[in-house]
Amino acid sequence: MGVSTKHVLSQLPVLRGMGQAALAALVRRPASGIDPERGGWLEEEIPPRPADLVRDYVRHVGGDPAWYRGRLPAHMFPQWGFPLAARALAVLPYPLSRVVNAGCRIEQRAMLPANEPLRVRARIDRVDDDGHRALVTQVIETGTESAGMALVAEMRTFIPLEKREGKEKKARPTVPADAREIAFSRIPESAGLDFAKLTGDFNPIHWIAPYARAAGFRSCILHGFSTLARAIEALNRARLAGDPGRLSTIDVRFTRPLVLPARVGVYVDQNRGIWVGDAHGGGSYLEGHFDAEIRP
């Protein structure tokens, strides 16, 4: 069963914020000499997330809502953090329509209470622009009155600028042969639209196949943050005994688009590396490392 369209109503602030940021980017272009600290932190307080939205989100990405009684999933931060992140990006002289999600680091200092207003702030941390591409790193922090700034996310975006001639192709990332599969799932073609309903990220490459093909993909591609959320929930189930609070950090990069529908596994190794990919030795869509309290 697909995700209810009623959750779109919960995304109206997200859509409004991202729309305002896109409009601001069109009408205001800063001069050269980018200052990552331009404007400092953007801050906002938002109401507690609807309980049914959180429940359906957790189920959608393969988790158990019982693990999150009274608490929020750390990997859900894009749902409340994207509007501020988009506004922060809008001060830079880059086309927001070309932004690609390159990776993310999540630091969970404590779990966020589900029944308190969220204090969210975002800023640009650094910009690496070589004239051919820009790599922009943003920091999004989330806290509550009782928990303090419990969640720190670092979001990395890639923006192509000018085509580089004679660029060597990198080897395709793969799942190591010695990694252990901890989960395997079939992801339907509808997963892109369902994740959009739950988070507000309605980029059409994730749910309109003709648009995705026009953008150069074989079909719709899964959101990178959906891939990350599914990997974290696999960890919760297979390594953390259903306790999301044991995860302290996870740092990943999105290595290639995951075309829908798909069948993929989640893999880990003894050094706490993590991958989402087709099979041992097969291509990977996500790779990174995590730190967590793993008990025997």
Side-chain angles (χ1 to χ4, degrees):
M1 182 181 296
V3 170
S4 173
T5 55
K6 70 178 182 179
H7 291 310
V8 176
L9 295 176
S10 297
Q11 313 311 335
L12 295 181
V14 181
L15 296 172
R16 182 169 58 249
M18 295 181 72
Q20 291 172 346
L23 180 61
L26 289 175
V27 301
R28 185 182 69 239
R29 286 286 186 232
S32 60
I34 297 167
D35 177 8
E37 298 291 343
R38 187 190 307 272
W41 291 99
L42 297 174
E43 302 186 33
E44 187 174 15
E45 181 169 293
I46 63 174
R49 301 297 79 196
D52 58 343
L53 172 67
V54 177
R55 180 197 64 223
D56 289 352
Y57 169 87
V58 170
R59 286 176 176 166
H60 172 72
V61 296
D64 185 339
W67 300 340
Y68 291 98
R69 287 195 181 100
R71 306 185 294 182
L72 293 177
H75 51 72
M76 196 178 180
F77 82 90
Q79 195 277 331
W80 59 76
F82 266 16
L84 285 182
R87 283 172 52 195
L89 274 178
V91 307
L92 301 180
Y94 301 126
L96 294 185
S97 61
R98 303 181 69 185
V99 168
V100 177
N101 191 357
C104 176
R105 180 182 187 275
I106 296 175
E107 177 185 353
Q108 185 173 241
R109 299 169 178 171
M111 292 204 69
L112 289 167
N115 59 352
E116 296 183 34
L118 298 176
R119 298 172 177 173
V120 188
R121 63 181 192 172
R123 70 175 176 88
I124 296 168
D125 185 62
R126 55 190 179 274
V127 177
D128 179 6
D129 182 341
D130 67 0
H132 299 284
R133 91 297 179 263
L135 297 175
V136 181
T137 302
Q138 294 175 272
V139 175
I140 303 172
E141 297 186 352
T142 309
T144 69
E145 183 176 359
S146 68
M149 281 299 175
L151 181 64
V152 179
E154 183 181 276
M155 191 166 64
R156 301 183 289 271
T157 54
F158 172 89
I159 308 170
L161 302 176
E162 295 181 3
K163 194 169 184 179
R164 192 192 303 267
E165 298 296 332
K167 181 180 179 181
E168 295 184 4
K169 289 187 177 181
K170 295 182 179 180
R172 187 179 72 165
T174 59
V175 177
D178 60 349
R180 181 176 180 182
E181 184 179 279
I182 61 171
F184 185 84
S185 62
R186 293 172 173 83
I187 307 175
E189 189 173 7
S190 60
L193 179 57
D194 285 345
F195 192 77
K197 293 177 185 176
L198 292 163
T199 63
D201 185 352
F202 279 94
N203 187 326
I205 64 172
H206 300 301
W207 58 284
I208 301 178
Y211 187 97
R213 287 192 288 269
F217 303 105
R218 285 188 287 114
S219 187
C220 295
I221 61 173
L222 189 65
H223 299 73
F225 282 112
S226 180
T227 307
L228 173 59
R230 292 167 186 271
I232 291 175
E233 292 305 336
L235 279 177
N236 287 337
R237 189 178 301 277
R239 287 291 184 270
L240 307 182
D243 182 359
R246 293 187 185 180
L247 181 69
S248 54
T249 62
I250 185 167
D251 192 336
V252 304
R253 68 186 188 102
F254 304 117
T255 50
R256 65 179 178 134
L258 178 50
V259 179
L260 297 171
R263 302 196 307 171
V264 296
V266 179
Y267 303 82
V268 298
D269 68 7
Q270 294 182 344
N271 297 317
R272 302 193 179 185
I274 186 167
W275 295 263
V276 175
D278 296 321
H280 290 104
S284 68
Y285 306 97
L286 171 154
E287 64 179 17
H289 288 83
F290 67 95
D291 188 20
E293 179 188 356
I294 300 178
R295 300 169 188 164

